[in-house]
Amino acid sequence: MLKAAEAIREVVANAIVTEVRDPRVRDVTVIGVEVSPDMREAKVKVSVMGDETQKNLSLRGLQNSAGFLQSKIANRMDTRYTPKLRFEVDRGQEHAMTVSEILARIQQEKEGAMDDRDQNDSGEDATPHSND
């Protein structure tokens, strides 16, 4: 099953880059493939750069190219069934980027707080007292 999933991922990824001519399919990366136990269906997880509109367009373009991609898989794999492809956007990359941004912001705030504390400790921001 894992070998089949990896073979499907390779075929689909290469075909998207080199052979799919649909202009809607842009900036697509195949992340992984999950194959059903009976090998009749394969869920292809993709990452698409761009906004939601671009993601939806790319998904529609991929779904329209599914028959072509299935024929590529049939040529490569010798199995009883050629799995029916279903595409879905893998949000893992987006979530990872969001977490990275949040962590970077926290780090900046932490460093800013440390700088403020260092300045107060050194007396740079201390206000002189006058004895009137």
Side-chain angles (χ1 to χ4, degrees):
M1 292 281 286
L2 291 174
K3 281 184 178 183
E6 182 57 24
I8 291 169
R9 189 197 67 73
E10 268 183 47
V11 170
V12 171
N14 288 334
I16 287 173
V17 171
T18 60
E19 298 177 66
V20 172
R21 299 283 178 243
D22 191 322
R24 296 174 292 183
V25 180
R26 292 187 331 209
D27 301 325
V28 174
T29 304
V30 178
I31 303 296
V33 175
E34 292 176 10
V35 182
S36 66
D38 63 0
M39 291 285 293
R40 289 182 186 240
E41 292 184 8
K43 185 181 349 177
V44 181
K45 295 185 177 191
V46 296
S47 172
V48 181
M49 297 301 288
D51 59 11
E52 280 304 310
T53 305
Q54 178 58 42
K55 289 177 179 155
N56 290 332
L57 280 173
S58 290
L59 275 180
R60 270 191 257 141
L62 287 169
Q63 207 56 58
N64 286 349
S65 302
F68 169 75
L69 295 169
Q70 284 169 214
S71 70
K72 292 287 177 192
I73 293 167
N75 291 339
R76 165 90 186 265
M77 296 174 62
D78 186 27
T79 58
R80 178 178 226 161
Y81 303 108
T82 300
K84 181 176 187 231
L85 300 179
R86 194 172 38 128
F87 295 90
E88 73 176 37
V89 174
D90 181 34
R91 305 274 180 192
Q93 297 281 16
E94 291 174 36
H95 296 313
M97 287 174 46
T98 303
V99 168
S100 291
E101 289 170 5
I102 291 169
L103 290 174
R105 250 185 283 143
I106 290 170
Q107 185 64 34
Q108 287 175 341
E109 289 172 8
K110 210 174 183 183
E111 289 171 358
M114 294 289 279
D115 289 345
D116 290 347
R117 197 174 319 132
D118 290 346
Q119 286 179 353
N120 287 337
D121 289 346
S122 66
E124 290 175 21
D125 286 333
T127 3
H129 296 2
S130 63
N131 295 336
D132 287 332

